[in-house]
PDB file of all heavy atoms in Angstrom:
ATOM      1  N   LEU A   1      99.097  95.389  79.093  1.00 97.00           N
ATOM      2  CA  LEU A   1      97.987  95.549  80.006  1.00 97.00           C
ATOM      3  C   LEU A   1      98.406  95.186  81.461  1.00 97.00           C
ATOM      4  O   LEU A   1      97.955  95.762  82.374  1.00 97.00           O
ATOM      5  CB  LEU A   1      96.828  94.637  79.520  1.00 97.00           C
ATOM      6  CG  LEU A   1      96.193  95.006  78.205  1.00 97.00           C
ATOM      7  CD1 LEU A   1      95.131  94.043  77.767  1.00 97.00           C
ATOM      8  CD2 LEU A   1      95.731  96.415  78.199  1.00 97.00           C
ATOM      9  N   LEU A   2      99.275  94.171  81.540  1.00 98.00           N
ATOM     10  CA  LEU A   2      99.817  93.860  82.836  1.00 98.00           C
ATOM     11  C   LEU A   2     100.624  94.951  83.386  1.00 98.00           C
ATOM     12  O   LEU A   2     100.530  95.194  84.606  1.00 98.00           O
ATOM     13  CB  LEU A   2     100.570  92.489  82.801  1.00 98.00           C
ATOM     14  CG  LEU A   2      99.802  91.261  82.499  1.00 98.00           C
ATOM     15  CD1 LEU A   2     100.707  90.052  82.264  1.00 98.00           C
ATOM     16  CD2 LEU A   2      98.841  90.935  83.616  1.00 98.00           C
ATOM     17  N   SER A   3     101.365  95.627  82.526  1.00 98.00           N
ATOM     18  CA  SER A   3     102.158  96.768  83.017  1.00 98.00           C
ATOM     19  C   SER A   3     101.289  97.922  83.539  1.00 98.00           C
ATOM     20  O   SER A   3     101.568  98.481  84.564  1.00 98.00           O
ATOM     21  CB  SER A   3     103.017  97.291  81.874  1.00 98.00           C
ATOM     22  OG  SER A   3     103.991  96.454  81.439  1.00 98.00           O
ATOM     23  N   VAL A   4     100.112  98.183  82.841  1.00 98.00           N
ATOM     24  CA  VAL A   4      99.196  99.121  83.319  1.00 98.00           C
ATOM     25  C   VAL A   4      98.622  98.684  84.745  1.00 98.00           C
ATOM     26  O   VAL A   4      98.542  99.500  85.614  1.00 98.00           O
ATOM     27  CB  VAL A   4      98.085  99.366  82.297  1.00 98.00           C
ATOM     28  CG1 VAL A   4      97.004 100.244  82.906  1.00 98.00           C
ATOM     29  CG2 VAL A   4      98.644  99.946  81.029  1.00 98.00           C
ATOM     30  N   LEU A   5      98.317  97.425  84.840  1.00 98.00           N
ATOM     31  CA  LEU A   5      97.730  96.936  86.116  1.00 98.00           C
ATOM     32  C   LEU A   5      98.746  97.104  87.221  1.00 98.00           C
ATOM     33  O   LEU A   5      98.424  97.655  88.326  1.00 98.00           O
ATOM     34  CB  LEU A   5      97.406  95.449  85.947  1.00 98.00           C
ATOM     35  CG  LEU A   5      96.769  94.782  87.146  1.00 98.00           C
ATOM     36  CD1 LEU A   5      95.356  95.429  87.498  1.00 98.00           C
ATOM     37  CD2 LEU A   5      96.510  93.312  86.908  1.00 98.00           C
ATOM     38  N   ILE A   6      99.965  96.792  87.001  1.00 98.00           N
ATOM     39  CA  ILE A   6     101.015  96.955  87.993  1.00 98.00           C
ATOM     40  C   ILE A   6     101.173  98.448  88.321  1.00 98.00           C
ATOM     41  O   ILE A   6     101.310  98.879  89.475  1.00 98.00           O
ATOM     42  CB  ILE A   6     102.361  96.376  87.547  1.00 98.00           C
ATOM     43  CG1 ILE A   6     102.256  94.837  87.405  1.00 98.00           C
ATOM     44  CG2 ILE A   6     103.483  96.721  88.551  1.00 98.00           C
ATOM     45  CD1 ILE A   6     103.460  94.205  86.788  1.00 98.00           C
ATOM     46  N   GLY A   7     101.181  99.279  87.242  1.00 98.00           N
ATOM     47  CA  GLY A   7     101.354 100.739  87.458  1.00 98.00           C
ATOM     48  C   GLY A   7     100.197 101.314  88.311  1.00 98.00           C
ATOM     49  O   GLY A   7     100.441 102.241  89.108  1.00 98.00           O
ATOM     50  N   LEU A   8      98.964 100.817  88.099  1.00 98.00           N
ATOM     51  CA  LEU A   8      97.885 101.259  88.975  1.00 98.00           C
ATOM     52  C   LEU A   8      98.073 100.923  90.397  1.00 98.00           C
ATOM     53  O   LEU A   8      97.817 101.783  91.335  1.00 98.00           O
ATOM     54  CB  LEU A   8      96.597 100.640  88.523  1.00 98.00           C
ATOM     55  CG  LEU A   8      95.992 101.105  87.127  1.00 98.00           C
ATOM     56  CD1 LEU A   8      94.887 100.208  86.684  1.00 98.00           C
ATOM     57  CD2 LEU A   8      95.594 102.506  87.178  1.00 98.00           C
ATOM     58  N   SER A   9      98.711  99.748  90.663  1.00 98.00           N
ATOM     59  CA  SER A   9      98.939  99.370  92.053  1.00 98.00           C
ATOM     60  C   SER A   9     100.142 100.154  92.599  1.00 98.00           C
ATOM     61  O   SER A   9     100.182 100.525  93.833  1.00 98.00           O
ATOM     62  CB  SER A   9      99.228  97.866  92.136  1.00 98.00           C
ATOM     63  OG  SER A   9      97.994  97.160  92.171  1.00 98.00           O
ATOM     64  N   PHE A  10     101.179 100.439  91.762  1.00 98.00           N
ATOM     65  CA  PHE A  10     102.270 101.365  92.209  1.00 98.00           C
ATOM     66  C   PHE A  10     101.679 102.699  92.689  1.00 98.00           C
ATOM     67  O   PHE A  10     102.041 103.166  93.674  1.00 98.00           O
ATOM     68  CB  PHE A  10     103.288 101.592  91.013  1.00 98.00           C
ATOM     69  CG  PHE A  10     104.267 100.529  90.793  1.00 98.00           C
ATOM     70  CD1 PHE A  10     104.280  99.320  91.588  1.00 98.00           C
ATOM     71  CD2 PHE A  10     105.217 100.677  89.834  1.00 98.00           C
ATOM     72  CE1 PHE A  10     105.219  98.343  91.380  1.00 98.00           C
ATOM     73  CE2 PHE A  10     106.194  99.674  89.598  1.00 98.00           C
ATOM     74  CZ  PHE A  10     106.188  98.507  90.351  1.00 98.00           C
ATOM     75  N   ALA A  11     100.790 103.201  91.834  1.00 98.00           N
ATOM     76  CA  ALA A  11     100.240 104.531  92.216  1.00 98.00           C
ATOM     77  C   ALA A  11      99.370 104.389  93.474  1.00 98.00           C
ATOM     78  O   ALA A  11      99.356 105.273  94.362  1.00 98.00           O
ATOM     79  CB  ALA A  11      99.335 105.039  91.060  1.00 98.00           C
ATOM     80  N   GLY A  12      98.628 103.250  93.595  1.00 98.00           N
ATOM     81  CA  GLY A  12      97.789 103.058  94.746  1.00 98.00           C
ATOM     82  C   GLY A  12      98.652 102.966  96.050  1.00 98.00           C
ATOM     83  O   GLY A  12      98.231 103.486  97.045  1.00 98.00           O
ATOM     84  N   LEU A  13      99.764 102.345  95.952  1.00 98.00           N
ATOM     85  CA  LEU A  13     100.621 102.256  97.072  1.00 98.00           C
ATOM     86  C   LEU A  13     101.219 103.682  97.460  1.00 98.00           C
ATOM     87  O   LEU A  13     101.334 104.005  98.671  1.00 98.00           O
ATOM     88  CB  LEU A  13     101.858 101.333  96.823  1.00 98.00           C
ATOM     89  CG  LEU A  13     101.574  99.802  96.791  1.00 98.00           C
ATOM     90  CD1 LEU A  13     102.832  99.070  96.334  1.00 98.00           C
ATOM     91  CD2 LEU A  13     101.080  99.410  98.160  1.00 98.00           C
ATOM     92  N   THR A  14     101.434 104.472  96.446  1.00 98.00           N
ATOM     93  CA  THR A  14     101.977 105.865  96.642  1.00 98.00           C
ATOM     94  C   THR A  14     100.877 106.703  97.365  1.00 98.00           C
ATOM     95  O   THR A  14     101.204 107.462  98.377  1.00 98.00           O
ATOM     96  CB  THR A  14     102.373 106.535  95.372  1.00 98.00           C
ATOM     97  OG1 THR A  14     103.270 105.644  94.678  1.00 98.00           O
ATOM     98  CG2 THR A  14     102.929 107.858  95.603  1.00 98.00           C
ATOM     99  N   PHE A  15      99.625 106.553  97.081  1.00 98.00           N
ATOM    100  CA  PHE A  15      98.502 107.299  97.742  1.00 98.00           C
ATOM    101  C   PHE A  15      98.399 106.806  99.180  1.00 98.00           C
ATOM    102  O   PHE A  15      98.136 107.594 100.072  1.00 98.00           O
ATOM    103  CB  PHE A  15      97.318 107.153  96.985  1.00 98.00           C
ATOM    104  CG  PHE A  15      97.255 107.900  95.651  1.00 98.00           C
ATOM    105  CD1 PHE A  15      96.983 107.196  94.476  1.00 98.00           C
ATOM    106  CD2 PHE A  15      97.495 109.231  95.544  1.00 98.00           C
ATOM    107  CE1 PHE A  15      96.971 107.882  93.253  1.00 98.00           C
ATOM    108  CE2 PHE A  15      97.574 109.928  94.337  1.00 98.00           C
ATOM    109  CZ  PHE A  15      97.269 109.243  93.167  1.00 98.00           C
ATOM    110  N   LEU A  16      98.590 105.468  99.363  1.00 98.00           N
ATOM    111  CA  LEU A  16      98.538 104.936 100.713  1.00 98.00           C
ATOM    112  C   LEU A  16      99.672 105.419 101.519  1.00 98.00           C
ATOM    113  O   LEU A  16      99.583 105.740 102.683  1.00 98.00           O
ATOM    114  CB  LEU A  16      98.510 103.380 100.627  1.00 98.00           C
ATOM    115  CG  LEU A  16      98.499 102.684 101.950  1.00 98.00           C
ATOM    116  CD1 LEU A  16      97.298 103.103 102.810  1.00 98.00           C
ATOM    117  CD2 LEU A  16      98.492 101.175 101.764  1.00 98.00           C
ATOM    118  N   ALA A  17     100.932 105.496 100.895  1.00 98.00           N
ATOM    119  CA  ALA A  17     102.152 106.064 101.642  1.00 98.00           C
ATOM    120  C   ALA A  17     101.861 107.428 102.101  1.00 98.00           C
ATOM    121  O   ALA A  17     102.127 107.836 103.214  1.00 98.00           O
ATOM    122  CB  ALA A  17     103.291 106.009 100.670  1.00 98.00           C
ATOM    123  N   HIS A  18     101.306 108.249 101.201  1.00 98.00           N
ATOM    124  CA  HIS A  18     101.019 109.708 101.569  1.00 98.00           C
ATOM    125  C   HIS A  18     100.068 109.736 102.754  1.00 98.00           C
ATOM    126  O   HIS A  18     100.396 110.556 103.714  1.00 98.00           O
ATOM    127  CB  HIS A  18     100.350 110.367 100.294  1.00 98.00           C
ATOM    128  CG  HIS A  18      99.801 111.732 100.635  1.00 98.00           C
ATOM    129  ND1 HIS A  18      98.469 111.976 100.854  1.00 98.00           N
ATOM    130  CD2 HIS A  18     100.462 112.938 100.736  1.00 98.00           C
ATOM    131  CE1 HIS A  18      98.347 113.295 101.111  1.00 98.00           C
ATOM    132  NE2 HIS A  18      99.495 113.839 101.067  1.00 98.00           N
ATOM    133  N   GLU A  19      98.954 109.024 102.772  1.00 97.00           N
ATOM    134  CA  GLU A  19      98.065 109.123 103.876  1.00 97.00           C
ATOM    135  C   GLU A  19      98.595 108.478 105.168  1.00 97.00           C
ATOM    136  O   GLU A  19      98.418 109.035 106.243  1.00 97.00           O
ATOM    137  CB  GLU A  19      96.702 108.420 103.447  1.00 97.00           C
ATOM    138  CG  GLU A  19      95.594 108.727 104.448  1.00 97.00           C
ATOM    139  CD  GLU A  19      94.295 108.616 103.773  1.00 97.00           C
ATOM    140  OE1 GLU A  19      94.003 109.273 102.822  1.00 97.00           O
ATOM    141  OE2 GLU A  19      93.405 107.869 104.409  1.00 97.00           O
ATOM    142  N   THR A  20      99.434 107.407 105.005  1.00 98.00           N
ATOM    143  CA  THR A  20      99.999 106.761 106.229  1.00 98.00           C
ATOM    144  C   THR A  20     100.998 107.647 106.845  1.00 98.00           C
ATOM    145  O   THR A  20     101.021 107.722 108.042  1.00 98.00           O
ATOM    146  CB  THR A  20     100.564 105.380 105.780  1.00 98.00           C
ATOM    147  OG1 THR A  20      99.612 104.527 105.210  1.00 98.00           O
ATOM    148  CG2 THR A  20     101.214 104.756 106.964  1.00 98.00           C
ATOM    149  N   LEU A  21     101.851 108.213 106.141  1.00 97.00           N
ATOM    150  CA  LEU A  21     102.955 109.078 106.661  1.00 97.00           C
ATOM    151  C   LEU A  21     102.433 110.342 107.236  1.00 97.00           C
ATOM    152  O   LEU A  21     103.222 111.041 107.941  1.00 97.00           O
ATOM    153  CB  LEU A  21     104.031 109.281 105.661  1.00 97.00           C
ATOM    154  CG  LEU A  21     104.852 108.014 105.328  1.00 97.00           C
ATOM    155  CD1 LEU A  21     105.821 108.225 104.152  1.00 97.00           C
ATOM    156  CD2 LEU A  21     105.671 107.526 106.526  1.00 97.00           C
ATOM    157  N   HIS A  22     101.200 110.729 106.958  1.00 97.00           N
ATOM    158  CA  HIS A  22     100.598 111.922 107.649  1.00 97.00           C
ATOM    159  C   HIS A  22      99.991 111.398 108.994  1.00 97.00           C
ATOM    160  O   HIS A  22      99.445 112.320 109.689  1.00 97.00           O
ATOM    161  CB  HIS A  22      99.520 112.506 106.735  1.00 97.00           C
ATOM    162  CG  HIS A  22     100.005 113.614 105.901  1.00 97.00           C
ATOM    163  ND1 HIS A  22     100.486 114.803 106.405  1.00 97.00           N
ATOM    164  CD2 HIS A  22     100.080 113.750 104.562  1.00 97.00           C
ATOM    165  CE1 HIS A  22     100.871 115.580 105.363  1.00 97.00           C
ATOM    166  NE2 HIS A  22     100.680 114.962 104.216  1.00 97.00           N
ATOM    167  N   GLY A  23      99.988 110.173 109.250  1.00 96.00           N
ATOM    168  CA  GLY A  23      99.410 109.646 110.496  1.00 96.00           C
ATOM    169  C   GLY A  23      97.898 109.475 110.409  1.00 96.00           C
ATOM    170  O   GLY A  23      97.235 109.382 111.464  1.00 96.00           O
ATOM    171  N   CYS A  24      97.381 109.363 109.262  1.00 96.00           N
ATOM    172  CA  CYS A  24      95.985 109.221 109.006  1.00 96.00           C
ATOM    173  C   CYS A  24      95.440 107.774 109.129  1.00 96.00           C
ATOM    174  O   CYS A  24      94.245 107.565 109.324  1.00 96.00           O
ATOM    175  CB  CYS A  24      95.526 109.754 107.596  1.00 96.00           C
ATOM    176  SG  CYS A  24      96.099 111.403 107.239  1.00 96.00           S
ATOM    177  N   VAL A  25      96.471 106.898 108.988  1.00 97.00           N
ATOM    178  CA  VAL A  25      96.017 105.452 109.016  1.00 97.00           C
ATOM    179  C   VAL A  25      96.431 104.757 110.279  1.00 97.00           C
ATOM    180  O   VAL A  25      95.629 104.034 110.887  1.00 97.00           O
ATOM    181  CB  VAL A  25      96.695 104.754 107.794  1.00 97.00           C
ATOM    182  CG1 VAL A  25      96.413 103.263 107.770  1.00 97.00           C
ATOM    183  CG2 VAL A  25      96.225 105.398 106.463  1.00 97.00           C
ATOM    184  N   VAL A  26      97.636 104.924 110.763  1.00 95.00           N
ATOM    185  CA  VAL A  26      98.125 104.451 112.034  1.00 95.00           C
ATOM    186  C   VAL A  26      98.884 105.541 112.735  1.00 95.00           C
ATOM    187  O   VAL A  26      99.484 106.388 112.137  1.00 95.00           O
ATOM    188  CB  VAL A  26      99.077 103.192 111.823  1.00 95.00           C
ATOM    189  CG1 VAL A  26      98.223 101.962 111.336  1.00 95.00           C
ATOM    190  CG2 VAL A  26     100.195 103.490 110.923  1.00 95.00           C
TER     191      VAL A  26
END
């Protein structure tokens, strides 16, 4: 269950990376 929780945050960081590197965040 902790692995799933970490995996959700790994994926969350990836979605943030995608939006950030498009210049949508900063």
Side-chain angles (χ1 to χ4, degrees):
L1 296 179
L2 290 174
S3 294
V4 171
L5 182 62
I6 295 172
L8 290 172
S9 281
F10 278 3
L13 286 175
T14 305
F15 291 123
L16 179 58
H18 171 259
E19 191 154 306
T20 300
L21 288 172
H22 268 296
C24 308
V25 179
V26 290

